[in-house]
Amino acid sequence: MAPWMLFFKRKRLILLYIVLTLIIVFHSIRKHLEVRMTGVEGLRANSSWFTLEKKPFRILGGSIHYFRVPSAYWEDRLMKMKACGLNTLTTYVPWNLHEPQQGVFDFKNQLDLEAYLRLAGRLGLWVILRPGPYICAEWDLGGLPSWLLRDPNMRLRTTYSGFTDAVNSFFDQLITKVAPLQYSKGGPIIAVQVENEYGSYAKDEAYMPFIKEALLSRGITELLLTSDNKAGLKAGGVKGALETINFQDLDPEDFSYLNAIQPFKPQMVMEYWSGWFDVWGGRHHIYSPEVMMSVVAKLFEMGVSINFYMFHGGTNFGFMNGALAVDLPAPKPMITSYDYDAPLSEAGDYTTKYHLLRNFFSQYQIQPLPDLPALQKRRAYQPVIIEQRLSLWEALPFTDKPYKSERPVNMENLPVNNDNGQLYGYTLYETTISSGGVLNSKNNIRDRALVFVDKEYVGFINDEAQKLVIPNVTEERSLSLLVENCGRVNYGKTLNNQRKGIVGDIEFNELPLRGFIIHSLDMNPGFINRLEGSGSWISMRQQTSFPAFFKGRMYLNRNPKDTFIRLPVWKKGVVFINGQNLGRYWSIGPQQTLYVPGPWLKIGENQIMVFEERETDVMMSVVAKLFEMGVSINFYMFHGGTNFGFMNGALAVDLPAPKPMITSYGKFNNGFQ
């Protein structure tokens, strides 16, 4: 045989050997996986202790919502949670983000739930999935999509067919994606929650069984749970699901009651509230680390499983904040920050709570806890110079075609967004008047309206101030109402009443107004991009009218880092960076800064756009005027720095006693008032 023939014969034998080896290895791995999947038991609640893989297991969980954290930081936040000694991630699923239009679903990029759950699995974390469809979460309408409210007969969270049909359609998409990630299929999901806090709503006895069956029929096989406060336990459970409890202050009677309704079952606090949320105009909530740890130690002593809500809160980016309505005369919208005074701060920083928890949990670990991941670097950037402005009225051509209607139409029923209605933002209603008088909202303006006559601001209307005197006019004038959806209620029994805009007749001199032109100002990415790229912007040297959009640029010559934006003398509005809606700001506080994630910035030019309702930074208007006059300027201080040591001064002019200055001499710092 020729040498070349011998060579090819040997080569064929080698290739055949490799193929046979691969086949044997594949069948071996497949057999091993089948044994694991069929022979190992997932999370069970058949005694006073949870078991996982037939071994006692205590759930040490933490809530981190993927939709409140930039996807670039998912791994950072989860690694920090694992380094604290926790073993389980819990997360809600916001239906309103995943189905922004009926029948149109989004599970990509920031909303890639599968990627988030797989990441948790790779990092060695188990998952308790809380798919709703209602999630509360201090999130707009509790996570339910606002297009549901286009149906005038809608009854949310019941077995009303208009609601159940929509739930079934959503679950067809959602459960198909998460079912393969269950423990029984080799994934990290060890339990699934049936709805959320239904005991506080409880309008339909058939509803919870419907949601349970909707999960089971689509392939959910792991342990089912429910979650309620003590009062809700009486009506929030469903047969076949373990009931868990939510609270902040420990009352041993809660567990006595829980044990009475389901004896010989493991006890779990699904939501141990590590802090609390804030509302605009309210105080910033602080929950003592020492008190928190005393409760945690007691729960540990009792053998209770714990999930920290929130372990890391993140941010209500855009217009996604909910509103608080329970026992209040009018809803109070939540702030943009969802810091929650949690163990990890809004920007992912370690807090005193975090270190106390890590020290406590380290005592109960067989292996040493992982080293603490490094903190994300932060950078203070130079102030942004606002260069151009565009009044609201000049921006209207970049919105969708206005809608004409004899009567006012609420936001959700406007023929926009592919007939899904306007979801969020502002709606401008324009009509005419020919005299002065009294404008009466009849409580039909939701939630807050700025009122203009011939584009001149004359006052505002909200839930507390429902009447406004309009100055006398002698001929026909335009009357404009810019109505803001400040956030839909997310908890309680008023969910069905959360339509926004003008929801009924409003009166002028006791007669209903008619003949409206309605502009949708949802400020979605398409609108912002059209506005940013338009040639209609005007120099800041010209007089500004309000409301208005303002545009500036920030140049970065190195890799961007996290920062915070502060608008100290601006009144109320929204900030966009590179087209991303950072959220609302409002001078009434308590929030004083907006978190800017480094991954949303870029090397080179960054576009900053601000929508301001009422007034701008005094410095900006003064600088523009000085430029117009040709005056040279020195900024004091361009960089403030710090009064290190005891070097701060004190203020005494026209004061009964001197007022000492603070240590910081800077202008841009994260914080609450």
Side-chain angles (χ1 to χ4, degrees):
M1 183 180 294
W4 63 269
M5 293 178 64
L6 182 62
F7 171 77
F8 281 110
K9 184 176 181 181
R10 288 177 177 174
K11 188 175 182 180
R12 284 196 299 271
L13 289 173
I14 292 172
L15 288 173
L16 180 62
Y17 174 77
I18 292 173
V19 170
L20 290 173
T21 301
L22 289 174
I23 291 173
I24 293 170
V25 170
F26 170 78
H27 282 288
S28 175
I29 293 174
R30 181 179 178 184
K31 183 176 181 181
H32 173 75
L33 288 174
E34 288 175 348
V35 168
R36 180 191 181 281
M37 290 167 59
T38 58
V40 179
E41 191 174 73
L43 187 69
R44 297 291 184 268
N46 298 327
S47 65
S48 58
W49 274 88
F50 287 111
T51 59
L52 181 62
E53 298 178 347
K54 298 185 178 181
K55 299 176 182 177
F57 181 72
R58 188 203 297 264
I59 296 170
L60 298 178
S63 291
I64 302 179
H65 300 152
Y66 59 100
F67 47 94
R68 279 180 160 129
V69 179
S71 56
Y73 285 156
W74 286 349
E75 183 168 356
D76 172 79
R77 306 309 196 247
L78 295 185
M79 288 179 64
K80 288 172 179 173
M81 186 168 77
K82 186 177 174 71
C84 193
L86 304 190
N87 56 33
T88 303
L89 165 70
T90 68
T91 184
Y92 285 130
V93 178
W95 181 5
N96 53 6
L97 290 189
H98 286 294
E99 194 177 0
Q101 298 179 12
Q102 189 167 15
V104 177
F105 300 93
D106 186 358
F107 288 91
K108 296 179 181 178
N109 302 320
Q110 182 65 44
L111 297 176
D112 193 342
L113 174 59
E114 293 170 277
Y116 186 64
L117 300 180
R118 289 194 183 100
L119 173 62
R122 288 199 302 273
L123 297 178
L125 292 168
W126 301 112
V127 173
I128 296 176
L129 190 67
R130 311 175 79 185
Y134 164 83
I135 62 173
C136 182
E138 290 73 61
W139 194 252
D140 187 88
L141 201 58
L144 302 175
S146 62
W147 47 257
L148 290 167
L149 298 175
R150 290 174 65 82
D151 179 351
N153 300 313
M154 178 55 64
R155 296 194 298 277
L156 302 173
R157 303 180 74 190
T158 70
T159 51
Y160 170 65
S161 61
F163 185 70
T164 57
D165 289 348
V167 171
N168 282 325
S169 176
F170 174 54
F171 273 12
D172 283 344
Q173 298 290 322
L174 171 64
I175 306 304
T176 299
K177 296 180 181 299
V178 300
L181 298 174
Q182 295 178 96
Y183 177 88
S184 61
K185 299 181 183 299
I189 299 174
I190 56 173
V192 176
Q193 185 174 298
V194 184
E195 234 265 356
N196 186 56
E197 298 178 309
Y198 193 67
S200 66
Y201 199 74
K203 292 188 175 185
D204 187 338
E205 292 183 358
Y207 176 66
M208 287 293 281
F210 159 73
I211 295 296
K212 175 189 169 186
E213 180 57 27
L215 295 170
L216 296 178
S217 64
R218 289 169 174 84
I220 294 299
T221 58
E222 304 304 327
L223 180 68
L224 297 180
L225 307 166
T226 62
S227 171
D228 286 284
N229 59 25
K230 182 181 178 181
L233 288 172
K234 298 177 181 178
V238 62
K239 185 177 181 180
L242 180 73
E243 296 192 53
T244 66
I245 195 167
N246 305 334
F247 61 72
Q248 186 171 77
D249 299 322
L250 178 61
D251 182 350
E253 291 184 6
D254 292 350
F255 292 100
S256 298
Y257 179 78
L258 195 61
N259 188 57
I261 61 176
Q262 50 180 27
F264 309 112
K265 295 289 184 181
Q267 296 182 333
M268 179 175 179
V269 184
M270 177 58 75
E271 293 186 10
Y272 173 56
W273 300 320
S274 63
W276 202 244
F277 55 84
D278 296 333
V279 298
W280 287 115
R283 64 185 179 88
H284 175 49
H285 288 86
I286 298 293
Y287 181 50
S288 163
E290 292 74 22
V291 173
M292 182 195 76
M293 288 309 305
S294 67
V295 174
V296 170
K298 184 63 176 178
L299 292 173
F300 233 72
E301 180 183 331
M302 297 167 63
V304 174
S305 286
I306 312 170
N307 175 60
F308 291 89
Y309 187 97
M310 299 292 298
F311 187 78
H312 167 56
T315 309
N316 296 317
F317 292 114
F319 298 120
M320 299 313 300
N321 61 277
L324 179 66
V326 179
D327 298 327
L328 293 173
K332 299 291 185 182
M334 277 79 175
I335 65 173
T336 299
S337 172
Y338 199 62
D339 177 82
Y340 209 83
D341 192 35
L344 280 181
S345 76
E346 178 180 14
D349 296 332
Y350 302 117
T351 68
T352 299
K353 290 179 180 178
Y354 181 96
H355 291 298
L356 290 174
L357 287 171
R358 176 178 159 90
N359 290 339
F360 181 82
F361 290 141
S362 66
Q363 306 171 45
Y364 300 92
Q365 305 291 324
I366 298 176
Q367 299 293 331
L369 291 177
D371 293 337
L372 288 177
L375 291 174
Q376 296 296 328
K377 292 183 179 179
R378 194 166 301 153
R379 188 166 292 155
Y381 294 106
Q382 295 181 359
V384 174
I385 301 299
I386 300 297
E387 301 167 332
Q388 296 176 301
R389 59 91 173 164
L390 194 64
S391 77
L392 169 68
W393 322 106
E394 295 163 326
L396 292 180
F398 301 98
T399 66
D400 291 334
K401 182 180 178 181
Y403 178 62
K404 294 182 179 181
S405 173
E406 186 66 11
R407 295 172 177 268
V409 178
N410 62 287
M411 177 184 287
E412 292 78 8
N413 284 98
L414 289 173
V416 297
N417 194 30
N418 293 327
D419 285 331
N420 284 269
Q422 184 179 336
L423 307 181
Y424 314 105
Y426 298 76
T427 308
L428 180 66
Y429 295 82
E430 295 185 312
T431 185
T432 58
I433 57 174
S434 55
S435 70
V438 177
L439 181 65
N440 187 348
S441 75
K442 308 292 289 186
N443 198 31
N444 284 324
I445 288 179
R446 310 288 169 77
D447 298 297
R448 182 175 180 272
L450 302 182
V451 183
F452 305 84
V453 174
D454 278 356
K455 302 177 184 178
E456 292 292 328
Y457 176 74
V458 296
F460 71 91
I461 288 178
N462 61 15
D463 292 303
E464 297 173 350
Q466 296 185 27
K467 293 182 179 181
L468 178 67
V469 175
I470 303 297
N472 191 39
V473 297
T474 57
E475 57 187 24
E476 188 173 276
R477 302 292 180 92
S478 67
L479 175 69
S480 304
L481 296 95
L482 182 64
V483 182
E484 179 190 9
N485 167 6
C486 295
R488 297 181 180 90
V489 165
N490 54 271
Y491 180 84
K493 297 182 182 292
T494 64
L495 295 180
N496 292 314
N497 303 322
Q498 293 308 302
R499 294 171 180 85
K500 298 296 184 178
I502 300 180
V503 300
D505 282 339
I506 57 176
E507 293 182 352
F508 185 62
N509 293 334
E510 300 184 350
L511 294 174
L513 285 168
R514 293 288 182 262
F516 288 91
I517 298 176
I518 307 173
H519 302 264
S520 173
L521 281 155
D522 55 5
M523 300 191 189
N524 61 32
F527 168 76
I528 294 300
N529 290 335
R530 290 193 300 272
L531 197 62
E532 225 172 37
S534 77
S536 303
W537 292 87
I538 300 172
S539 168
M540 283 301 299
R541 298 184 183 185
Q542 302 184 37
Q543 185 175 358
T544 301
S545 62
F546 293 92
F549 293 87
F550 297 87
K551 188 166 70 169
R553 291 173 292 175
M554 180 171 68
Y555 292 92
L556 304 182
N557 57 12
R558 50 182 172 166
N559 289 333
K561 304 298 180 186
D562 285 3
T563 191
F564 289 83
I565 190 167
R566 186 180 180 93
L567 298 95
V569 193
W570 297 54
K571 189 72 173 178
K572 185 179 187 299
V574 190
V575 178
F576 303 84
I577 290 191
N578 296 328
Q580 294 270 8
N581 188 336
L582 294 182
R584 297 176 170 94
Y585 64 90
W586 198 350
S587 59
I588 63 174
Q591 182 171 356
Q592 296 297 306
T593 60
L594 287 174
Y595 173 52
V596 183
W600 289 5
L601 300 171
K602 58 186 178 182
I603 296 175
E605 181 178 301
N606 293 265
Q607 291 284 345
I608 315 295
M609 188 186 298
V610 180
F611 175 69
E612 166 61 43
E613 295 182 13
R614 287 295 303 126
E615 64 184 55
T616 59
D617 194 327
V618 171
M619 182 189 79
M620 184 185 71
S621 59
V622 171
V623 168
K625 187 64 176 176
L626 291 173
F627 259 69
E628 182 181 343
M629 298 167 61
V631 176
S632 295
I633 310 170
N634 175 58
F635 290 92
Y636 183 93
M637 297 288 298
F638 188 77
H639 168 59
T642 308
N643 296 319
F644 291 111
F646 300 113
M647 300 313 298
N648 61 283
L651 180 65
V653 179
D654 297 327
L655 293 174
K659 298 292 184 182
M661 278 74 168
I662 63 173
T663 300
S664 171
Y665 202 52
K667 296 295 183 183
F668 295 88
N669 62 301
N670 180 27
F672 296 86
Q673 68 180 19

Coordinates of all heavy atoms in Angstrom, one line a residue, residues 626-656:
L626 N -25.8 87.6 30.6 CA -24.5 88.1 30.5 C -23.8 87.9 29.2 O -23.1 88.7 28.7 CB -23.6 87.5 31.7 CG -24.1 87.9 33.1 CD1 -23.3 87.1 34.1 CD2 -23.8 89.4 33.3
F627 N -24.1 86.7 28.6 CA -23.5 86.4 27.3 C -24.1 87.4 26.3 O -23.4 87.9 25.4 CB -23.9 85.0 26.8 CG -22.8 84.0 27.0 CD1 -22.4 83.6 28.3 CD2 -22.2 83.5 25.9 CE1 -21.3 82.8 28.4 CE2 -21.1 82.6 26.0 CZ -20.7 82.2 27.3
E628 N -25.4 87.7 26.4 CA -26.0 88.6 25.5 C -25.4 90.0 25.6 O -25.3 90.8 24.6 CB -27.5 88.7 25.8 CG -28.3 89.6 24.9 CD -29.8 89.6 25.3 OE1 -30.2 88.7 26.0 OE2 -30.5 90.5 24.8
M629 N -25.0 90.4 26.8 CA -24.4 91.7 27.0 C -22.9 91.7 26.7 O -22.3 92.8 26.8 CB -24.6 92.1 28.5 CG -26.1 92.2 28.9 SD -26.3 92.3 30.7 CE -25.4 93.7 31.1
G630 N -22.3 90.6 26.4 CA -20.9 90.6 26.0 C -20.0 90.6 27.2 O -18.8 91.0 27.1
V631 N -20.5 90.3 28.4 CA -19.8 90.4 29.7 C -18.9 89.1 29.9 O -19.3 88.0 29.6 CB -20.7 90.5 30.9 CG1 -20.0 90.6 32.2 CG2 -21.5 91.8 30.7
S632 N -17.7 89.3 30.4 CA -16.8 88.2 30.7 C -17.2 87.7 32.1 O -17.7 88.5 33.0 CB -15.3 88.6 30.8 OG -14.9 89.0 29.5
I633 N -17.1 86.4 32.4 CA -17.6 85.8 33.6 C -16.6 84.9 34.3 O -15.8 84.2 33.6 CB -18.8 84.9 33.3 CG1 -19.8 85.6 32.4 CG2 -19.5 84.4 34.5 CD1 -20.9 84.6 31.8
N634 N -16.5 85.0 35.6 CA -15.7 84.0 36.4 C -16.7 83.3 37.3 O -17.5 84.0 38.1 CB -14.7 84.7 37.2 CG -14.0 83.7 38.1 OD1 -13.4 82.7 37.7 ND2 -14.0 83.9 39.5
F635 N -16.8 82.0 37.2 CA -17.8 81.2 38.1 C -17.2 81.0 39.4 O -16.1 80.4 39.6 CB -18.1 79.9 37.4 CG -18.9 80.0 36.2 CD1 -18.3 80.1 34.9 CD2 -20.3 80.0 36.3 CE1 -19.1 80.2 33.8 CE2 -21.1 80.1 35.1 CZ -20.5 80.2 33.9
Y636 N -17.9 81.4 40.5 CA -17.4 81.2 41.8 C -18.6 80.3 42.5 O -19.7 80.8 42.7 CB -17.2 82.5 42.6 CG -16.8 82.2 44.0 CD1 -15.4 82.2 44.3 CD2 -17.7 81.9 45.1 CE1 -14.9 81.9 45.6 CE2 -17.2 81.6 46.3 CZ -15.9 81.7 46.6 OH -15.4 81.4 47.9
M637 N -18.4 79.1 42.9 CA -17.2 78.3 42.6 C -17.4 77.4 41.4 O -18.5 76.9 41.3 CB -16.9 77.4 43.8 CG -16.6 78.2 45.1 SD -15.0 78.9 45.1 CE -13.9 77.5 44.9
F638 N -16.5 77.2 40.5 CA -16.7 76.2 39.5 C -16.5 74.8 40.0 O -17.2 73.9 39.6 CB -15.7 76.5 38.3 CG -15.9 75.6 37.1 CD1 -17.0 76.0 36.2 CD2 -15.2 74.5 36.8 CE1 -17.2 75.2 35.1 CE2 -15.5 73.7 35.7 CZ -16.5 74.1 34.9
H639 N -15.6 74.7 41.0 CA -15.5 73.4 41.8 C -15.5 73.8 43.2 O -14.6 74.5 43.7 CB -14.3 72.6 41.4 CG -14.0 71.5 42.3 ND1 -14.9 70.5 42.5 CD2 -12.9 71.2 43.0 CE1 -14.4 69.6 43.3 NE2 -13.2 70.0 43.7
G640 N -16.4 73.3 44.0 CA -16.5 73.7 45.4 C -15.5 73.1 46.3 O -14.8 73.7 47.1
G641 N -15.4 71.8 46.2 CA -14.5 71.1 47.1 C -15.1 70.9 48.5 O -16.3 70.8 48.6
T642 N -14.2 70.9 49.5 CA -14.7 70.5 50.9 C -14.0 71.4 51.9 O -12.9 71.8 51.8 CB -14.3 69.0 51.2 OG1 -14.8 68.2 50.1 CG2 -14.9 68.6 52.5
N643 N -14.8 71.8 52.9 CA -14.2 72.5 54.1 C -13.6 71.4 55.1 O -14.2 71.1 56.1 CB -15.3 73.3 54.8 CG -15.9 74.3 53.9 OD1 -15.2 75.0 53.2 ND2 -17.2 74.5 54.0
F644 N -12.5 70.9 54.7 CA -11.9 69.9 55.6 C -11.6 70.4 57.0 O -11.4 71.6 57.2 CB -10.5 69.4 55.0 CG -10.7 68.6 53.7 CD1 -10.3 69.1 52.5 CD2 -11.4 67.4 53.7 CE1 -10.5 68.4 51.3 CE2 -11.5 66.6 52.5 CZ -11.1 67.2 51.3
G645 N -11.6 69.5 57.9 CA -11.3 69.8 59.3 C -12.4 70.7 59.9 O -13.6 70.5 59.7
F646 N -12.0 71.8 60.6 CA -12.9 72.7 61.2 C -12.9 74.1 60.5 O -13.1 75.1 61.1 CB -12.5 73.0 62.7 CG -12.5 71.7 63.5 CD1 -11.4 71.2 64.0 CD2 -13.7 71.1 63.8 CE1 -11.4 70.0 64.8 CE2 -13.8 69.9 64.5 CZ -12.6 69.4 65.0
M647 N -12.7 74.0 59.2 CA -12.4 75.3 58.4 C -13.7 75.9 57.8 O -13.6 76.9 57.1 CB -11.4 75.0 57.3 CG -10.1 74.5 57.9 SD -9.4 75.5 59.2 CE -9.3 77.1 58.5
N648 N -14.9 75.3 58.1 CA -16.1 76.0 57.6 C -16.3 77.3 58.3 O -15.9 77.5 59.5 CB -17.3 75.1 57.9 CG -17.5 74.8 59.4 OD1 -16.8 74.0 59.9 ND2 -18.5 75.5 60.0
G649 N -16.9 78.3 57.6 CA -17.3 79.5 58.2 C -18.7 79.5 58.8 O -19.3 78.4 59.0
A650 N -19.3 80.7 59.0 CA -20.6 80.8 59.5 C -21.3 82.0 59.0 O -20.6 83.0 58.7 CB -20.6 80.8 61.1
L651 N -22.6 81.9 58.8 CA -23.4 83.0 58.2 C -24.0 83.8 59.3 O -24.7 83.3 60.2 CB -24.4 82.5 57.3 CG -25.3 83.5 56.6 CD1 -24.5 84.3 55.6 CD2 -26.4 82.7 55.8
A652 N -23.8 85.2 59.3 CA -24.4 86.0 60.3 C -25.2 87.2 59.8 O -25.9 87.9 60.6 CB -23.3 86.6 61.2
V653 N -25.2 87.5 58.5 CA -25.9 88.7 58.0 C -27.4 88.6 58.3 O -28.1 87.6 57.8 CB -25.6 88.8 56.5 CG1 -26.3 90.1 56.0 CG2 -24.1 89.0 56.3
D654 N -27.9 89.6 59.0 CA -29.4 89.7 59.2 C -30.0 88.5 59.9 O -31.1 88.1 59.7 CB -30.1 90.0 57.9 CG -29.7 91.3 57.2 OD1 -29.4 92.2 58.0 OD2 -29.8 91.3 56.0
L655 N -29.2 87.8 60.7 CA -29.7 86.6 61.4 C -29.5 86.9 62.9 O -28.6 87.5 63.3 CB -28.9 85.4 61.0 CG -29.1 84.9 59.6 CD1 -28.1 83.7 59.3 CD2 -30.5 84.4 59.3
P656 N -30.4 86.3 63.7 CA -30.3 86.5 65.2 C -29.1 85.8 65.7 O -28.5 86.3 66.8 CB -31.6 85.9 65.7 CG -32.0 85.0 64.6 CD -31.6 85.6 63.3

